[in-house]
Amino acid sequence: MMFAPPLAALIEAFQKLPGVGPKSAMRLALYVLKQPASYANQLAVALTQARESMAPCSCCGCLTDVHPCATCSNAERDHRLVCVVPESSDVFALERTRHFKGVYHVLGGLISPLDGVGPETLTIEVLLQRLGGGEVEEIILALPPSTEGDTTSLYLARLLNPLPVKLTRIAFGLPVGGELEYADSLTLLRALDGRQALV
């Protein structure tokens, strides 16, 4: 079926979102077009403002609109405990547990040579700089139990084991190939509590 060019462009834009296929993209596009013009304007303004105001935290790399972010600037958080995660969405998932009281470090992805993602494209160097201050006592690797997650964990273990910090990895309460952002709070809580030393 041929769509009018404006509708086709809107469907194509929605289809670029993760997890949105052609049918879902068409439903979203038609939904937006059925709403009052004020809704479309509100959506456009919200997207533009979020895109312009959100950026990686200058300290941990999590998306925020203030620098450093609320977690990094919170004196009540335990800055001796740093949880390393692949993406900002993983920080939000762990924060839902209301259990972790340390701070975070967002890598910006996982090592994946097939996708052209090497250690140099991640924020590993920034993590090493954070450790240079001597305040950090434990690094928790909260990386998914996948090929990319394991590769990244092993790479970080080789880098961090010689340093005077305790290195742990969250327990595998998560399904293999699962992502932190889709896990329920209890699973994440048990994974954090069951973390183990690496090597």
Side-chain angles (χ1 to χ4, degrees), residues 7 26 42 73 80 113 121 124 137 151 170 172 196 199:
L7 176 56
M26 184 177 70
Q42 181 184 3
S73 59
R80 298 169 301 171
T121 62
I124 294 173
E137 294 178 3
T151 300
I170 60 172
F172 292 110
Q196 301 173 352
V199 185

Side-chain angles (χ1 to χ4, degrees), residues 17-185:
L17 295 171
V20 178
K23 290 182 180 179
S24 295
M26 184 177 70
R27 280 195 298 272
L28 288 168
L30 292 174
Y31 174 81
V32 169
L33 293 177
K34 286 180 184 177
Q35 302 308 306
S38 60
Y39 175 80
N41 291 335
Q42 181 184 3
L43 181 61
V45 168
L47 283 169
T48 302
Q49 287 180 342
R51 187 66 187 88
E52 290 175 353
S53 64
M54 300 293 286
C57 170
S58 53
C59 181
C60 73
C62 186
L63 284 175
T64 182
D65 62 337
V66 293
H67 300 278
C69 70
T71 302
C72 289
S73 59
N74 187 343
E76 295 182 6
R77 301 293 293 230
D78 187 352
H79 290 260
R80 298 169 301 171
L81 189 60
V82 177
C83 184
V84 177
V85 297
E87 301 289 352
S88 294
S89 56
D90 302 315
V91 171
F92 306 142
L94 287 166
E95 282 296 284
R96 282 198 315 266
T97 69
R98 299 177 184 270
H99 179 73
F100 183 66
K101 302 303 180 190
V103 293
Y104 298 94
H105 184 85
V106 178
L107 292 173
L110 296 168
I111 296 172
S112 178
L114 292 177
D115 297 320
V117 180
E120 67 285 349
T121 62
L122 305 178
T123 61
I124 294 173
E125 191 60 39
V126 178
L127 175 62
L128 294 175
Q129 291 170 8
R130 288 181 75 179
L131 298 179
E135 182 182 16
V136 179
E137 294 178 3
E138 181 180 355
I139 297 285
I140 303 171
L141 299 182
L143 307 179
S146 62
T147 302
E148 294 82 4
D150 290 342
T151 300
T152 307
S153 292
L154 290 172
Y155 181 85
L156 289 172
R158 283 199 303 271
L159 278 181
L160 302 176
N161 271 325
L163 302 177
V165 293
K166 181 180 179 183
L167 183 61
T168 58
R169 185 172 183 182
I170 60 172
F172 292 110
L174 299 168
V176 173
E179 300 294 336
L180 292 178
E181 64 181 297
Y182 301 119
D184 63 277
S185 296

